[in-house]
Amino acid sequence: MITNTLEQKRYFSFELLNWYTRNKRDLPWRRHRNPFYIWISEIMLQQTRVDTVIPYFNRFIARFPTIEALAEAPEEDVLKLWEGLGYYSRARNLQTAAKQVVELHGGQVPDDTQAVAALKGVGPYTTGAIMSIAFNRPEPAVDGNVMRVLSRYFLIEEDIMKGSTRSHMESLVRELIPEGRAADFNQALMELGALVCTPKSPHCLTCPVMEHCSGRLAAPQAPPPVPTHAH
């Protein structure tokens, strides 16, 4: 593994945010800073493509504009709106968690990492996404996309299925988040993995952080392999 230099980290954060400002997709959940809507989008996006999620998200927030509305709805109504997205446990967990928020937090998603992490169906990644995107807290949101980007850029060759590797990645993201820019930075990191640093045939020549990418410099003729289980 190549040692991560301070210059390499600063360059990454600065160029990534500049790129995101110019190139970010106009997605419906990005038009709000409503923590509930951001939470819904993150649950829907688990194992589901963005293009598929957009119409479901729009219909869902139209029917359930508040946490109370979701908490009080018949379960069959919730599942009906989820029909076609699959992984129905996500919808059931989301409604259970909405009831938790009504009972414990007055119907408002709490600006508290531990409280969000305690909600049904909200794992470490979703917790980080909600806290950073909705509340601009400097929390890491590390998923497969983010792991792939960081593995390539910093030439991290550890097995990403290991807990120690995830902890390393989360610590690295904490270092990389510029002060006051957590929401944009984490979304930029996800966007780079989704649009540029893709699992197969990454678009290295259009990558905003190509110049200091350790993976590219180590293997300039071909992108570095995706680490174990990075998909």
Side-chain angles (χ1 to χ4, degrees):
M1 187 178 104
I2 291 177
T3 302
N4 307 333
T5 66
L6 186 60
E7 180 191 0
Q8 190 187 26
K9 291 175 181 174
R10 283 177 176 166
Y11 168 88
F12 181 88
S13 300
F14 182 80
E15 294 298 339
L16 181 62
L17 279 169
N18 279 347
W19 170 82
Y20 179 69
T21 300
R22 295 191 305 268
N23 295 281
K24 64 181 177 181
R25 288 173 289 180
D26 178 22
L27 302 174
W29 44 88
R30 287 184 178 160
R31 299 170 195 164
H32 309 273
R33 276 292 168 87
N34 184 325
F36 178 48
Y37 294 172
I38 289 165
W39 174 18
I40 291 168
S41 73
E42 289 297 337
I43 298 297
M44 286 185 169
L45 287 164
Q46 292 170 6
Q47 300 171 295
T48 310
R49 292 174 58 84
V50 167
D51 290 347
T52 302
V53 165
I54 289 172
Y56 280 92
F57 172 83
N58 288 332
R59 287 193 294 267
F60 202 86
I61 66 169
R63 173 64 178 81
F64 308 118
T66 66
I67 290 177
E68 289 88 349
L70 176 59
E72 294 165 5
E75 184 182 274
E76 56 265 31
D77 289 5
V78 178
L79 296 180
K80 184 68 180 174
L81 277 176
W82 207 269
E83 205 168 77
L85 271 179
Y87 304 100
Y88 287 92
S89 62
R90 293 182 296 172
R92 292 189 179 95
N93 288 342
L94 182 60
Q95 186 175 34
T96 298
K99 293 174 181 178
Q100 288 178 273
V101 172
V102 170
E103 292 167 11
L104 300 174
H105 307 292
Q108 299 295 317
V109 178
D111 183 0
D112 180 278
T113 303
Q114 296 308 314
V116 169
L119 298 174
K120 181 78 171 176
V122 177
Y125 165 78
T126 307
T127 299
I130 293 169
M131 295 310 299
S132 62
I133 299 170
F135 299 110
N136 205 27
R137 301 294 177 193
E139 294 288 343
V142 173
D143 66 354
N145 264 342
V146 170
M147 285 191 173
R148 182 172 62 254
V149 171
L150 297 179
S151 295
R152 286 173 172 166
Y153 183 81
F154 292 107
L155 203 62
I156 299 169
E157 296 175 301
E158 302 156 24
D159 183 347
I160 66 169
M161 292 304 287
K162 291 183 178 177
S164 58
T165 306
R166 173 175 285 275
S167 295
H168 175 200
M169 298 270 193
E170 288 175 345
S171 297
L172 183 54
V173 171
R174 288 182 195 277
E175 289 181 51
L176 292 168
I177 295 174
E179 189 172 351
R181 300 296 304 278
D184 284 342
F185 180 82
N186 276 349
Q187 290 182 94
L189 200 48
M190 298 170 200
E191 196 87 329
L192 189 71
L195 300 181
V196 178
C197 196
T198 48
K200 297 176 182 177
S201 305
H203 310 288
C204 294
L205 293 178
T206 60
C207 178
V209 296
M210 174 184 73
E211 189 177 329
H212 289 292
C213 177
S214 295
R216 186 190 67 85
L217 294 171
Q221 302 308 314
V226 180
T228 312
H229 305 300
H231 293 280

